[in-house]
Amino acid sequence: MMKFGVRLAVQGEMGAKGQGWDYTKEMALEAEALGFDSVWLPDHVINAHMTKRTPMLENWTVLSALGALTTKVKFAGHTFNNSLRNPAVMAKMAATFDVMFNGRLIYSVGSAWFKDETHSYGLPWDDHDCRVARLREALIIAKRMWTEAEVTFKGEFYQVDGAYLEPKPVQQPHIPIWVPGDSEATRDLTAELGDCWLIYSKPPEVIADWTDEMRRRAGAGGRHVPTAISTVCLAGLPKADVARWSHLYAEERKHRFAVPPTPDDVLNENLWGDVDQCVRRIGEWRDAGVSYLIIQPIPPLDGMRFFAKEIMPVVLAEIETA
């Protein structure tokens, strides 16, 4: 079975016609009504994709409000930013959310990428592998606090001393930990501690190689780690609009990656075309080892509706009859 999530466009990005609380609430409530399994919210304290002065709401505050307005859909950060919060406190926040909303949290925590944001808020910043090492300690602390009565941990970056966390999460044995990223250090961390590996979409043949490699890496430790991908979704749009939106996405993300994506990269690596094209590519990703697909729809509301009504039912029907 394949499950589907949707990333909310809450910063005014990706062609959103609005932003802020009202737009976020509308998109999340409709995502639940449309049958998505999960809703994903970027975790920034300043706007990461528009101008820095463009308003950006705080992630956990918004998720908690959305949790109170919904009953079924799961919630996650796309991704939670380990640089912004003490990991023991964030483990407490996550457990509280899981209890309040009946086990509907995915703990998708990343090592952070937005250096200017971190510096501007006076928080520590290190090189990439050091940030991943920080994340490793943070995940160890969270997992132990969710499963143990009392936790003492003395790490290089974080320490807790006789820490209690009650109530424990609803989800057992603990809230699922999803590790995002594809660097070597992150792959090692995923194989060690991840319950799911979350990566940006790539062509199916690349994903197949990556999932095979993760299967070997995690399998060496006796673990199975499923794969989820997050994909830009330009489904059902005329070719001229696809070209226009792919240029927009590449422009908004040019500062996000070490090698800025081109519009051709966006089209080669993501999801676009008519229903048949999209269903075929999703099937190829599934054959490559993907079990969870998170769409980043462009334009957000219309793209989310098209995917849920035209593509998702076809994919699920094909899986059931396979």
Side-chain angles (χ1 to χ4, degrees), residues 82 109-111 131-140 179 189:
N82 187 57
V109 188
S111 57
R131 296 198 309 277
V132 176
R134 280 184 179 272
L135 176 59
R136 179 180 181 272
E137 290 189 8
L139 296 179
I140 290 171
V179 181
L189 176 58

Side-chain angles (χ1 to χ4, degrees), residues 1 30 39 41 53 86 96-97 128 151 177 184 209 241 252 256 311 321:
M1 175 62 78
E30 190 159 348
V39 165
L41 190 74
R53 294 181 181 274
N86 173 279
T96 300
F97 186 100
H128 173 270
V151 177
I177 294 170
E184 281 298 307
D209 288 343
D241 288 346
E252 289 181 353
R256 168 67 178 85
I311 296 173
T321 58

Side-chain angles (χ1 to χ4, degrees), residues 5-316:
V6 60
R7 177 197 182 274
L8 305 185
V10 298
Q11 304 171 82
E13 78 279 33
M14 301 196 305
K17 294 181 179 179
Q19 66 173 123
W21 170 241
D22 289 339
Y23 189 87
T24 304
K25 179 175 65 173
E26 178 184 7
M27 195 170 180
L29 292 177
E30 190 159 348
E32 179 171 68
L34 288 168
F36 283 94
D37 180 72
S38 58
V39 165
W40 298 69
L41 190 74
D43 185 14
H44 295 290
V45 290
I46 63 174
N47 199 299
H49 296 302
M50 309 301 285
T51 69
K52 292 180 181 179
R53 294 181 181 274
T54 304
M56 176 69 193
L57 298 176
E58 195 280 323
N59 178 289
W60 282 94
T61 310
V62 173
L63 286 187
S64 295
L66 293 175
L69 295 173
T70 55
T71 59
K72 297 179 295 184
V73 73
K74 297 181 180 68
F75 290 95
H78 195 281
T79 58
F80 294 126
N81 186 337
N82 187 57
S83 293
L84 297 182
R85 305 170 188 88
N86 173 279
V89 174
M90 189 154 71
K92 176 68 175 182
M93 294 162 62
T96 300
F97 186 100
D98 207 57
V99 169
M100 289 173 64
F101 305 120
N102 197 30
R104 291 193 286 137
L105 185 69
I106 297 170
Y107 203 62
S108 50
V109 188
S111 57
W113 63 269
F114 197 6
K115 183 178 180 180
D116 288 349
E117 170 185 59
T118 308
H119 275 166
S120 70
Y121 270 64
L123 298 166
W125 183 264
D126 304 294
D127 65 29
H128 173 270
D129 286 1
C130 189
R131 296 198 309 277
V132 176
R134 280 184 179 272
L135 176 59
R136 179 180 181 272
E137 290 189 8
L139 296 179
I140 290 171
I141 289 170
K143 189 172 183 178
R144 289 188 59 192
M145 291 184 69
W146 295 333
T147 58
E148 299 178 16
E150 179 181 351
V151 177
T152 294
F153 177 87
K154 306 295 183 183
E156 180 181 356
F157 306 102
Y158 304 115
Q159 296 81 39
V160 295
D161 188 5
Y164 292 87
L165 190 155
E166 294 292 344
K168 300 298 186 191
V170 169
Q171 297 182 87
Q172 294 296 317
H174 56 77
I175 300 169
I177 294 170
W178 291 33
V179 181
D182 58 33
S183 70
E184 281 298 307
T186 302
R187 292 181 195 215
D188 284 340
L189 176 58
T190 303
E192 179 189 2
L193 295 173
D195 298 306
C196 188
W197 186 27
L198 174 58
I199 50 180
Y200 280 107
S201 59
K202 294 287 185 289
E205 62 272 17
V206 174
I207 295 295
D209 288 343
W210 286 13
T211 55
D212 284 345
E213 194 271 340
M214 180 56 70
R215 192 175 296 113
R216 292 190 296 269
R217 196 181 297 230
R223 306 181 71 245
H224 168 66
V225 181
T227 301
I229 61 174
S230 179
T231 183
V232 178
C233 180
L234 296 162
L237 298 173
K239 287 186 177 180
D241 288 346
V242 169
R244 177 166 61 92
W245 290 122
S246 64
H247 278 80
L248 173 72
Y249 185 88
E251 177 66 21
E252 289 181 353
R253 298 303 192 276
K254 65 182 180 182
H255 64 296
R256 168 67 178 85
F257 301 100
V259 179
T262 67
D264 285 343
D265 292 332
V266 174
L267 298 183
N268 185 47
E269 296 174 355
N270 292 282
L271 188 67
W272 64 281
D274 61 24
V275 171
D276 288 343
Q277 288 175 283
C278 290
V279 169
R280 183 165 57 251
R281 168 148 280 205
I282 293 170
E284 292 168 348
W285 277 330
R286 182 169 174 267
D287 291 343
V290 174
S291 57
Y292 207 112
L293 187 70
I294 302 154
I295 64 164
Q296 303 179 46
I298 302 178
L301 279 167
D302 290 341
M304 179 179 70
R305 292 164 183 155
F306 183 87
F307 183 89
K309 294 175 181 178
E310 304 296 333
I311 296 173
M312 199 156 64
V314 179
V315 173
L316 294 175

